[in-house]
Amino acid sequence: MRLPIRLLAPVLLAAGPLLTGCGGPEPLPEVAPAPRPTSARPSALAPSSAAPSTARPSSAGPSGPAVAAASLGGRGTACPLPVSFSLPKDWKPNAIENPEDPEFAALMRQGPAFARCEVDAKPAGHVGFLRVWTAEKGPARAALEGFVAADEKASGASYRETTAGALPAVEVTYTVRSELLDEEKEERAFAVSTPKGAVVVHLGGMDTEEHREMLPAYELARTTLKAL
């Protein structure tokens, strides 16, 4: 069933492409979600305090750890970035051109960060994106906190110190209210500081179930990340 545009807008960043290539925003494609397991639907994360913790999330999602099939961020890849990391098979990256264009600021900027690259999970059977954002030089935590604070629908943010490859990193898990689904859904991101600026890698998803099914790709990016 085709959804009205007024309902698609709230989830554009979570389930639809940003501006890739030239021209204006691409329309949100109609995508049938991948087959669901028959187990009960997981509940969204309960709101928690923003105090730092040392807890580390599991690196494996429902399907186990992801296997590296491609690299992103280096010379000759789809997106020139201050970092590189591995991607699983069939995750398709696209560079986001002219993210500083004021006409598209609502889509291209979140807090201190600009969108630089989005990796589409639909060819791999998921509805969601892994996105890379960059900010000016500064502490990774400040960039990440500013990124989350700029999302008015975000709540229950919980930050923790972690690593991304060999780099020190900060990670956040939080929930976002989906007006389309009328429910809370999980999101997470990690940030690192590099000589070329701060980098935020964010995983959304159409809903919490899709988000959790894509965690292996997110963890593959985190554990293989290198500064360039």
Side-chain angles (χ1 to χ4, degrees), residues 11-158:
V11 293
L12 182 59
L13 291 179
L18 298 177
L19 303 183
T20 54
C22 300
E26 298 179 7
L28 184 68
E30 296 181 16
V31 181
R36 304 286 197 184
T38 57
S39 59
R41 181 187 184 88
S43 59
L45 283 177
S48 59
S49 68
S53 78
T54 57
R56 301 259 317 259
S58 170
S59 61
S63 58
V67 177
S71 180
L72 180 65
R75 181 177 298 179
T77 66
C79 301
L81 299 168
V83 297
S84 67
F85 55 82
S86 296
L87 293 174
K89 181 180 179 181
D90 293 332
W91 284 63
K92 303 301 181 184
N94 290 286
I96 297 173
E97 299 187 3
N98 303 319
E100 291 91 351
D101 189 335
E103 184 177 355
F104 305 115
L107 293 176
M108 300 294 100
R109 184 170 186 173
Q110 185 166 324
F114 288 94
R116 300 295 176 180
C117 186
E118 60 182 10
V119 188
D120 190 355
K122 287 192 292 297
H126 305 293
V127 184
F129 291 85
L130 185 70
R131 290 192 171 106
V132 184
W133 305 67
T134 62
E136 294 182 356
K137 291 182 180 180
R141 187 182 182 98
L144 191 58
E145 288 180 342
F147 178 83
V148 175
D151 188 343
E152 296 179 352
K153 295 182 175 64
S155 63
S158 177

